[in-house]
């Protein structure tokens, strides 16, 4: 007789919760202390092998989709594999972990086989992203090592990277409630509130580079992608040439990008590299654009400019222009820039 889904569900869910808790503990210890003693983590940890076998047997009889999602969210393979490679565990512990990992992989395969057999190509995905386009986009993160084959974050993927992936996929799939499908997929309701670390540019770039068609900005689309301006195209070209000749923008900045950030062509990736200091950029932007762009001027500037290759900080720009206005006559702060604008 098969297992009764209703009777056994609570026990199985408890097993999954315990395994998840221990995997999270292992992930933390692996990140801070490679020499920890495995058996000292939790007295129950030696039961993981029993729990995973019971979960597998339960799955074979129940095929419950919600339980499948919880199982794939365990994400145990990376952590266990790292510990198995360590010399700090006993032979008995290696045997236990090896059996656990083997059973876990059998369990994941059983879920995948069931999905392929007739439950639909996107069995593990919420409805909003259960389609070809979303899967193609998610597979970019799989190929980059940020998600595993069950579209769960890998052990090294940060919450900030998860937020960026969710934003990119939802934006490109035109999902109205951006965070909902990913809160469901990853069983994490706090993704919207994750703060992106400004200083960790490589971590952020690891996601933004695989979704180049997305403008990553405050998780919203109300920020314009270019400045509003009444300046004609001929004068803008002259300003660009003068900025380059005077050493304010890099020699590799191109006129197409310059016209794009002024609304004359459409490109999501148009950026001008400013090679002077942040205050000179604040001064230039304020004089040229503040009249028509006062609401979002610094957000647009962050999107359209880099300073020596680095993204400018909005708070620094705001304080920079306030310092200039407080301590200087705007008509005399930097005559060369003023001349470029006024000529």
């Amino acid at each position: 007789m098969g297992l009764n889904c209703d009777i056994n569900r609570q026990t199985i869910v408890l097993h999954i919760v315990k395994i998840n808790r221990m995997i999270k503990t292992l992930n933390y210890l692996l990140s801070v202390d490679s020499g920890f003693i495995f058996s000292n983590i939790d007295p129950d940890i030696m039961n993981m092998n029993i729990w995973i076998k019971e979960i597998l047997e339960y799955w074979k009889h129940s095929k419950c989709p919600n339980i499948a999602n919880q199982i794939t969210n365990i994400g145990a393979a990376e952590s266990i594999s790292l510990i198995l490679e360590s010399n700090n565990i006993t032979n008995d512990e290696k045997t236990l972990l090896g059996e656990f990992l083997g059973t876990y992989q059998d369990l994941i395969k059983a879920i995948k086989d069931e999905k392929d057999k007739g439950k639909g190509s996107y069995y593990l995905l919420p409805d909003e992203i259960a389609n070809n386009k979303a899967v193609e986009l998610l597979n970019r993160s799989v190929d980059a090592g940020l998600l595993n084959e069950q579209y769960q974050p890998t052990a090294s993927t940060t919450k900030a990277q998860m937020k960026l992936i969710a934003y990119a996929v939802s934006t490109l799939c035109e999902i109205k409630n951006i965070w909902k499908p990913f809160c469901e997929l990853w069983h994490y309701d706090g993704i919207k509130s994750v703060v992106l670390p400004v200083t960790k540019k490589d971590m952020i770039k690891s996601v933004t580079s695989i979704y180049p068609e997305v403008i990553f900005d405050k998780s919203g689309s109300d920020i314009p992608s270019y400045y509003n301006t009444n300046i004609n195209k001929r004068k803008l070209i002259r300003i660009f040439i003068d900025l380059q000749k005077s050493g304010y923008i890099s020699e590799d900045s191109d006129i197409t990008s310059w016209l794009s950030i002024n609304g004359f062509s459409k490109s999501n990736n148009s950026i001008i590299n400013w090679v002077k200091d942040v205050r000179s950029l604040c001064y230039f932007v304020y004089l040229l654009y503040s009249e028509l762009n006062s609401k979002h001027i610094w957000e647009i500037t962050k999107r359209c400019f880099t300073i020596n290759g680095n993204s400018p900080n909005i708070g620094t720009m705001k304080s920079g222009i306030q310092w200039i206005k407080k301590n200087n006559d705007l008509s005399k702060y930097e005559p060369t820039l003023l001349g470029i604008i006024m000529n």
Side-chain angles (χ1 to χ4, degrees):
M1 180 181 295
L3 292 173
N4 187 302
C5 181
D6 292 328
I7 292 175
N8 293 284
R9 181 187 179 89
Q10 186 174 358
T11 300
I12 296 304
V13 169
L14 184 60
H15 286 350
I16 294 171
V17 168
K18 287 181 178 179
I19 291 174
N20 255 322
R21 186 183 72 239
M22 292 180 185
I23 293 299
K24 288 178 180 178
T25 301
L26 291 172
N27 284 338
Y28 173 75
L29 292 173
L30 283 168
S31 68
V32 299
D33 180 12
S34 60
F36 65 86
I37 300 174
F38 176 75
S39 57
N40 288 349
I41 294 171
D42 188 311
D44 273 347
I45 202 164
M46 304 305 286
N47 294 321
M48 286 174 62
N49 200 15
I50 298 172
W51 297 337
I52 200 70
K53 288 177 180 177
E54 291 182 358
I55 294 170
L56 175 60
E57 288 306 308
Y58 174 85
W59 164 253
K60 286 179 178 178
H61 289 87
S62 72
K63 305 294 196 308
C64 291
N66 289 335
I67 293 296
N69 284 331
Q70 293 181 51
I71 291 168
T72 55
N73 196 44
I74 291 174
E78 294 89 351
S79 302
I80 300 301
S81 296
L82 286 172
I83 296 171
L84 281 170
E85 294 171 2
S86 168
N87 294 321
N88 297 316
I89 61 174
T90 66
N91 288 333
D92 288 344
E93 290 165 352
K94 281 189 177 181
T95 299
L96 181 147
L97 285 178
E99 290 180 359
F100 172 89
L101 184 57
T103 306
Y104 174 77
Q105 291 171 337
D106 289 343
L107 180 55
I108 294 299
K109 184 178 185 301
I111 293 172
K112 183 178 184 300
D113 289 345
E114 180 65 20
K115 174 191 69 176
D116 294 340
K117 196 166 62 178
K119 294 286 186 176
S121 300
Y122 312 117
Y123 179 76
L124 299 175
L125 295 173
D127 291 344
E128 298 92 333
I129 52 175
N131 56 71
N132 286 338
K133 183 174 182 179
V135 166
E136 183 276 321
L137 294 167
L138 287 168
N139 282 338
R140 296 190 201 178
S141 287
V142 173
D143 293 341
L146 296 166
L147 300 178
N148 63 24
E149 291 184 354
Q150 288 76 47
Y151 304 114
Q152 297 299 315
T154 59
S156 60
T157 302
T158 67
K159 292 290 194 298
Q161 288 171 320
M162 290 165 59
K163 181 175 185 176
L164 291 169
I165 293 168
Y167 179 69
V169 175
S170 290
T171 298
L172 293 173
C173 290
E174 299 181 351
I175 296 171
K176 186 174 181 180
N177 191 338
I178 290 176
W179 312 112
K180 178 180 176 294
F182 291 92
C183 290
E184 181 181 343
L185 176 64
W186 296 330
H187 306 282
Y188 178 59
D189 292 333
I191 190 166
K192 181 179 179 180
S193 303
V194 172
V195 177
L196 300 180
V198 177
T199 57
K200 296 183 178 180
K201 295 182 176 63
D202 289 344
M203 180 273 292
I204 293 175
K205 190 176 180 181
S206 67
V207 180
T208 59
S209 63
I210 60 177
Y211 299 106
E213 63 268 61
V214 178
I215 298 174
F216 293 86
D217 195 334
K218 285 193 171 182
S219 306
S221 58
D222 61 328
I223 310 297
S225 59
Y226 55 85
Y227 297 103
N228 287 317
T229 179
N230 291 327
I231 303 172
N232 62 51
K233 189 173 183 180
R234 182 175 180 180
K235 182 173 180 178
L236 284 169
I237 292 172
R238 195 266 306 153
I239 290 174
F240 173 83
I241 292 170
D242 288 348
L243 286 173
Q244 215 162 40
K245 283 183 177 178
S246 300
Y248 285 98
I249 60 177
S250 64
E251 292 182 358
D252 59 359
S253 293
D254 64 88
I255 190 66
T256 302
S257 293
W258 170 251
L259 291 175
S260 178
I261 72 172
N262 285 280
F264 279 89
S265 62
K266 308 300 181 188
S267 173
N268 290 339
N269 299 312
S270 296
I271 294 175
I272 297 296
N273 187 29
W274 192 266
V275 292
K276 296 284 189 178
D277 61 279
V278 66
R279 284 181 181 166
S280 64
L281 175 60
C282 294
Y283 179 69
F284 171 76
V285 167
Y286 182 80
L287 290 182
L288 195 62
Y289 300 118
S290 61
E291 183 177 354
L292 298 179
N293 301 273
S294 59
K295 184 178 180 181
H296 295 302
I297 188 168
W298 305 119
E299 288 83 1
I300 300 171
T301 302
K302 180 178 177 62
R303 176 177 285 174
C304 295
F305 281 91
T306 57
I307 301 177
N308 291 307
N310 297 313
S311 179
N313 180 274
I314 291 174
T316 301
M317 289 190 289
K318 287 181 177 178
S319 60
I321 194 61
Q322 291 303 319
W323 183 90
I324 293 171
K325 291 162 73 173
K326 181 179 179 180
N327 296 283
N328 297 272
D329 181 339
L330 285 178
S331 65
K332 298 179 180 178
Y333 176 68
E334 197 154 341
T336 302
L337 275 177
L338 183 63
I340 290 173
I341 294 170
M342 300 303 295
N343 285 344

